[in-house]
């Protein structure tokens, strides 16, 4: 008879639990306190890819989803994981500034990563993205596609584009100024409609507003609306016009209409942050920026819709941003 077979059932179970807890104590852990759900094919799903990479390499990961209409739950979740002491690092993101500002100082020994926003606390590493730079490229491509009806036959040639956004926030204004500048670099007198939905979750309202923008002449529509953006992309497809996706590569959602996606490499930044925390090199108390220079933002082309000569024109603009010949406007 083995040692384990000689143990009473309760003692055996308790021994296994202790072994599991010891193994878990040595396993690096990270939790993401969300203000939304997965499945947006954009911001949240991009973030999830970074956590999955860390999980594949042995980290213990939890993605704590929540209703986007229940801010009280967001605070409760953040307080619960902070009080538990179970996590080496706690991640949170947009819409959590006030909550993190209240909770992080109460837990000075807990490490936090705050992405897509900034908080000046010694135990918080903030991560932001130069969405203005990526949007500059999106604006340049949109202007080309709107006015070149030969290579983009769904356009009527009018210099009219639109940006449909979730809410009027500083980070969204950063998208807008970059997009407008990029479009005007190609076509100085281009008309850019800027439309706000009022939230990041109402896909039907996003669809309706995008349909209106197309009715007002927009040949290309830029999605800057989080989960609601799925309505923007569908409206562009139903209106037989072009769209540009955001955050993740959304080109596959409507492959005959989405000409590119402006990537915010959120997943990469999360994976990098976890690696830095594990290695003891994470710069807590500071801000880390991800832009064109470190591949934190970029443009993923739909090769079936965007010819090589158009890509070259946009890549030339990118090179000028990188070498400093062009300074992209920012809302910050």
């Amino acid at each position: 008879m083995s040692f384990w077979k000689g143990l009473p059932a309760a003692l055996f179970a308790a021994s296994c639990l202790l072994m599991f807890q010891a193994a878990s104590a040595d396993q690096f852990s990270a939790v993401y306190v969300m203000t939304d759900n997965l499945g947006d094919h954009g911001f949240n799903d991009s973030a999830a890819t970074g956590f999955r990479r860390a999980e594949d390499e042995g980290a213990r990961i939890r993605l704590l989803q929540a209703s986007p209409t229940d801010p009280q739950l967001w605070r409760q979740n953040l307080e619960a994981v902070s009080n538990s002491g179970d996590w080496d690092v706690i991640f949170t993101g947009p819409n959590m500034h006030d909550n993190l500002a209240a909770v992080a100082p109460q837990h000075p020994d807990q490490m936090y990563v705050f992405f897509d926003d900034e908080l000046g606390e010694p135990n918080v590493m903030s991560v932001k993205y130069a969405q203005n730079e990526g949007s500059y490229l999106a604006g340049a491509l949109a202007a080309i596609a709107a006015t070149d009806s030969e290579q983009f036959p769904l356009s009527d040639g009018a210099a009219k584009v639109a940006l449909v956004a979730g809410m009027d926030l500083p980070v969204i204004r950063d998208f807008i100024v970059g997009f407008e500048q990029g479009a005007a670099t190609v076509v100085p007198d281009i008309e850019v409609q800027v439309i706000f939905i009022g939230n990041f979750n109402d896909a039907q309202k996003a669809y309706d507003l995008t349909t209106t923008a197309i009715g007002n002449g927009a040949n290309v529509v830029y999605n800057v609306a989080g989960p609601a953006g799925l309505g923007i992309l569908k409206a562009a497809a139903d209106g037989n016009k072009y769209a540009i996706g955001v955050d993740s590569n959304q080109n596959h959602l409507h492959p005959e209409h989405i000409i590119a996606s402006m990537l915010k490499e959120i997943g990469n930044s999360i994976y990098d942050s976890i690696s830095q925390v594990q290695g003891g090199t994470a710069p807590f108390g500071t801000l880390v920026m991800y832009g064109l220079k470190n591949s934190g933002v970029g443009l993923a082309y739909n090769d079936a819709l965007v010819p090589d000569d158009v890509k070259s024109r946009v890549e030339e603009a990118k090179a000028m941003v990188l070498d400093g010949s062009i300074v992209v406007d920012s809302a910050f």
Side-chain angles (χ1 to χ4, degrees):
M1 180 180 292
S2 73
F3 170 75
W4 292 111
K5 288 183 178 179
L7 286 176
L11 183 56
F12 173 75
S15 299
C16 289
L17 178 60
L18 287 171
M19 291 175 64
F20 173 77
Q21 288 174 336
S24 297
D26 294 333
Q27 186 181 24
F28 186 86
S29 59
V31 59
Y32 174 24
V33 180
M34 301 175 60
T35 61
D36 210 329
N37 297 291
L38 298 173
D40 63 346
H41 298 281
F43 188 96
N44 293 321
D45 286 357
S46 177
T49 64
F51 288 110
R52 292 191 194 103
R53 285 176 64 191
E55 187 172 39
D56 289 343
E57 295 182 5
R60 178 166 62 93
I61 298 296
R62 184 180 182 189
L63 306 183
L64 200 56
Q65 302 182 64
S67 168
T69 60
D70 191 358
Q72 185 175 355
L73 180 60
W74 312 342
R75 175 65 170 267
Q76 291 172 353
N77 286 343
L78 183 61
E79 290 177 336
V81 297
S82 298
N83 290 329
S84 72
D86 291 340
W87 303 97
D88 290 306
V89 61
I90 297 171
F91 283 77
T92 195
N95 302 316
M96 288 292 283
H97 187 280
D98 291 348
N99 290 329
L100 187 59
V103 173
Q106 298 175 8
H107 301 274
D109 295 328
Q110 173 66 62
M111 294 182 288
Y112 298 88
V113 175
F114 189 29
F115 61 99
D116 210 29
D117 206 335
E118 182 177 1
L119 179 66
E121 292 291 337
N123 58 334
V124 176
M125 179 171 75
S126 299
V127 178
K128 293 176 73 173
Y129 310 87
Q131 53 273 319
N132 60 323
E133 294 180 353
S135 296
Y136 179 89
L137 303 184
L141 176 61
I144 295 170
T147 55
D148 186 349
S149 56
E150 182 176 345
Q151 296 197 86
F152 295 90
L154 301 184
S155 292
D156 62 14
K160 296 182 178 182
V161 297
L163 183 153
V164 181
M167 297 175 69
D168 190 355
L169 303 171
V171 67
I172 299 302
R173 284 287 171 186
D174 210 36
F175 279 94
I176 293 169
V177 296
F179 183 76
E180 290 178 332
Q181 184 182 357
T185 299
V186 175
V187 182
D189 61 348
I190 194 166
E191 177 185 316
V192 181
Q193 301 177 55
V194 176
I195 302 169
F196 294 103
I197 301 164
N199 61 71
F200 291 96
N201 297 99
D202 192 340
Q204 182 59 56
K205 186 175 180 181
Y207 181 96
D208 295 340
L209 291 172
T210 303
T211 300
T212 298
I214 290 171
N216 290 335
N219 282 306
V220 183
V221 182
Y222 185 25
N223 163 29
V224 188
L230 297 178
I232 297 170
L233 301 177
K234 188 176 189 308
D238 289 351
N240 207 28
K241 292 296 183 180
Y242 295 112
I244 296 176
V246 76
D247 293 337
S248 294
N249 189 335
Q250 300 180 320
N251 299 347
H252 65 284
L253 296 177
H254 300 282
E256 296 181 359
H257 297 87
I258 301 177
I259 56 177
S261 294
M262 197 290 278
L263 304 181
K264 287 176 70 169
E265 297 290 2
I266 299 158
N268 288 348
S269 69
I270 285 171
Y271 176 80
D272 290 347
S273 297
I274 290 175
S275 299
Q276 290 167 4
V277 175
Q278 282 184 288
T281 61
F284 286 97
T286 67
L287 170 66
V288 179
M289 283 295 301
Y290 283 83
L292 286 179
K293 288 185 177 180
N294 57 359
S295 301
V297 297
L299 206 59
Y301 300 101
N302 181 341
D303 294 333
L305 298 181
V306 182
D308 288 342
D309 67 301
V310 174
K311 293 178 189 175
S312 295
R313 290 177 64 185
V314 178
E315 291 303 306
E316 287 173 7
K318 176 181 177 180
M320 294 178 73
V321 173
L322 290 174
D323 69 18
S325 301
I326 294 175
V327 177
V328 182
D329 296 336
S330 175
F332 295 106

